[in-house]
Amino acid sequence: MDFLECQGLTKRFGGLHAVDMLDFRVEEGEILGLIGPNGAGKTTLFNVITGSLVPEEGRLTFQSRDIVGMQPHQIAEIGIGRTFQQVRLFENLSVLENVMLGRHCRTRTGFLGAIVRGAKVTVEERQTRERAAELLEFVGLSGRKNDLAKNLPHGHQRFLEIARAMATDPRLLLIDEPTSGLNEAEGQVVLSMLRKIREGGVTLFVIEHHMKVIMNLADRIVVLNYGSKIFEGTPAETQQSPEVISAYLGEEIE
Amino acid sequence: MEVPSRLISPSLIWAGVGILGLVIWPFLIGQYWLQITIVSGVFVILAVSLNLIMGIAGQLSIAHAAFYGIGAYTSALLTLRLGLSFWVSLPLAMVFTAFLGYLIAIPALRLRGHYLAIVTLGFGVLIYQVLERWESMTRGVMALTGIPRPTPFLGITFRTKLPYYYLLLILIGIVVFVVYRIVNSRVGLALKSVREDEVSAQALGVNTYHYKVAVFSVGTALAGIAGGFHAHYQRVLAPDEFSFVDSVRILMMVIVGGMGSVSGSILGALVLIWLPEILRAMGDFRDLVYGLAVILIVIFIPGGLMEMFRRSVAFLQRQFGLSASGDDSVVRRD
Ligand SMILES: Nc1ncnc2c1ncn2[C@@H]1O[C@H](COP(=O)(O)OP(=O)(O)OP(=O)(O)O)[C@@H](O)[C@H]1O
Ligand SMILES: [Mg+2]
C-alpha cells in the first residue's frame, strides 16, 4: 500500500508557483528529508499536506486515501502530525496541558461528558495524563510539566512541540526545521529524538534548510527549488548533484 | 485513590463555611442590600458565562446583554402570552437563547479574525431595536409589565425577596458547576487551545469551528437563564437594560476579575455591582471614582482581581513561612 504519495501537486499564491507540479512519495518507515533554498516551497508543501492550504492541482493520497480538501483536524485524526517552523505552542497553558492537547484526536469526552464526569471520563483523563507524562519523560521535560509553555527556553519549546505532536499517535510526522534556533548540543538531542521516534515505527518527513544536518538523519532526500523537485536520492548522491549545488550557489553546503 | 481523611479536606470545610455564609447572608443585611445582592448574583451568571466564551475560548462577544434580554423577554412572554409556568418558561428561554446564539455563531465564526466581535456588536444593536420597536409584542419603552412570579414550588411561594435569593443561589451553583466542569476537562483544554493558537489546535485534531460554535451556544444559554430569572424577579422589563452599554459592563466584569478565571468573573461581577453602591456616599464623585477604579485595576493588574488575590495569598504564605496547600501534581485549575 502506498503511504504518502503526491502527483502533479501545485499550490499557487497569485502568480507565484510555491509548489509546482510536484511528484514524490514518502515510503512507510523511512526518514525522508526535504531541503531547498529559502522560499523553495517546503513549508507550503507541509501546509498543503496537512490541509491548511488547498492545492490548485494534483493528487495527494495517504494510505491510498485521497486527502485533498480534508480539514487540518481530520488530517491529524488519520495519523499525520506536524510541528511548525516557528514554534507554535499554547503559550499560556502548562507544558503538561500542551501535550495533553495532543491527545485530543484520540479521546472522546464532550460537553455533556465533561459536566457529568462519569467513570469513563475520569479514566480517559487519567490515561491522557499518563501518556502525556510519558512523552514529557521522552523529551526530558518531566521536571517542567507545570511551567507555562511560554516560560521555557527556546530549545525546550522545540522539544515540547515534538512531544505534543507525538501525542496524536501519528503514522507520519512532518517536522519543519527541527534544529532551527537551537545550539549544537540541543540540535543533537533533537536528532536523536527523531531517530528514536522512527525506531518506534513512525515515518518522518523532515524539512531542513541545512544539508549538513539532514545528511546524518535522512534515508533519502528530496530537493525543492522554486516549488519543483530538482533532485531525489540518498544523502551522498544529493551532496554530489550538480543541480543541487547550483541551487544552493552562494550558500554553504558541505 | 481517595484517602479517607481527605473526605474532610480543608477545601471542603471552606466550601461548607462559604455555603453556610451564603445561606444566612440575607439575615445579616436589610432589604436594600438584599436587592443589590440579587442583582449582583444575576451578573455573576452573566460574567461567568461570558468568561467561558471570551476568557476561556478567546472569542470576543459584545452582545451578552442582548442574549440576557432575549432570555428575559422570552420567558416573560411565554408566561404572559401562553400562560406557561416559570418552571417551564425558564428552560425554554434558555434553549431559545442558545438557539439564537447558535444561529449567530455559525456565520460569524466561519470567518477568521474579529468577525464575531463585529457581528455581535451589530446583533446587540438589532436586538435592542427589536425590543424597543416591536411594541405589539414587547410594549417597547412603555415596558412589559405584570410578569408573573414563579408559581409555588414544593410549597415555596415567591412573595418576598428571600425565596428568589435562594433560587438564584441554586441557579448560580448550577451555572458555576457546569462551567467549572467544562473548563477543567478535555473540552476546556480544547477551548483554551482555540484561544491560544487555532492553527496548532487544528493540527492536533481540534475542530476549532465546532468548539467555537458550541461554546458560544452554551455561553448564551447560560445568559438566557440569567435573563429568565431576572424577568420574573423584577417583573417589569424595558429594553434599556439590554443595550450595548450593558454588554460592555459584563465584559468589564470579566476583564476586571481576570480573563479566563471562573472565580475571577464571580469577583468581577460582585465588585462592579457593589462598588457603585458603596461609593454612593461620595455623591457626585461616584462615577468618577468608579471609572477611575476600573481603569486602575485594568492597567495595573493585568491578570485581574483574582490574580492579585492569588499573588497576595502567595506573598503572605511566603512571609509567614506557611507552605502552599494543595499538591503540585495537579494541573493549575481555573
Ligand atoms: N500564505 C502565503 N501567501 C502568499 N505567499 C506565500 C504564502 N506562504 C508562502 N508564500 C510564498 O511562497 C514561497 C514559498 O514559501 P515557503 O514558506 O513554502 O518556503 P520555504 O521553502 O519553507 O522557505 P524557508 O526555508 O524560508 O522556510 C515564498 O516565496 C513565500 O513568500
Ligand atoms: Mg519554511
Side-chain angles (χ1 to χ4, degrees), chain A residues 88 104 107 109 115 146, chain B residues 181 186 196-197 200 211 328:
Chain A
R88 298 187 78 128
H104 189 87
T107 45
T109 305
I115 294 165
N146 293 325
Chain B
R181 277 281 170 90
R186 167 181 182 267
E196 293 291 312
D197 183 353
S200 277
Y211 277 102
D328 64 358

Side-chain angles (χ1 to χ4, degrees), chain A residues 38-39 41-44 85 176-177 207:
Chain A
N38 285 116
K42 305 179 295 292
T43 299
T44 303
Q85 183 168 357
D176 200 343
E177 305 213 7
I207 293 179

Side-chain angles (χ1 to χ4, degrees), chain B residues 48 113 123 197 243 250:
Chain B
V48 167
F123 180 75
D197 183 353
S243 69
I250 306 168

Side-chain angles (χ1 to χ4, degrees), chain A residues 130-171:
Chain A
E130 282 167 5
R131 179 81 182 110
E134 270 168 40
L135 285 162
L136 283 178
E137 183 80 49
F138 172 69
V139 299
L141 288 177
S142 295
R144 307 207 60 168
K145 66 181 175 181
N146 293 325
D147 293 358
L148 294 188
K150 68 176 172 196
N151 293 337
L152 292 185
H154 178 75
H156 286 181
Q157 293 191 344
R158 287 231 175 254
F159 301 171
L160 177 56
E161 213 189 20
I162 291 172
R164 188 181 70 174
M166 280 302 292
T168 66
D169 290 344
R171 300 301 311 140

Side-chain angles (χ1 to χ4, degrees), chain B residues 32-73:
Chain B
Y32 177 75
W33 291 104
L34 185 53
Q35 162 70 9
I36 304 299
T37 302
I38 292 176
V39 170
S40 61
V42 170
F43 275 92
V44 163
I45 296 181
L46 292 170
V48 167
S49 55
L50 181 61
N51 177 54
L52 186 63
I53 296 172
M54 192 171 81
I56 301 295
Q59 307 302 305
L60 184 54
S61 166
I62 324 184
H64 216 56
F67 289 105
Y68 171 47
I70 290 166
Y73 273 90

Side-chain angles (χ1 to χ4, degrees), chain B residues 122-182:
Chain B
F123 180 75
V125 173
L126 179 85
I127 290 300
Y128 185 80
Q129 289 298 320
V130 169
L131 296 180
E132 198 178 75
R133 304 273 163 105
W134 194 10
E135 293 188 348
S136 60
M137 185 58 88
T138 66
R139 302 198 63 227
V141 289
M142 292 174 324
L144 192 61
T145 52
I147 301 165
R149 301 172 189 278
T151 45
F153 184 75
L154 298 174
I156 301 162
T157 56
F158 289 81
R159 300 244 150 252
T160 63
K161 287 188 165 54
L162 200 61
Y164 280 107
Y165 170 78
Y166 289 129
L167 171 62
L168 181 59
L169 219 49
I170 291 168
L171 291 177
I172 292 173
I174 293 170
V175 167
V176 169
F177 176 81
V178 162
V179 170
Y180 184 84
R181 277 281 170 90
I182 290 174

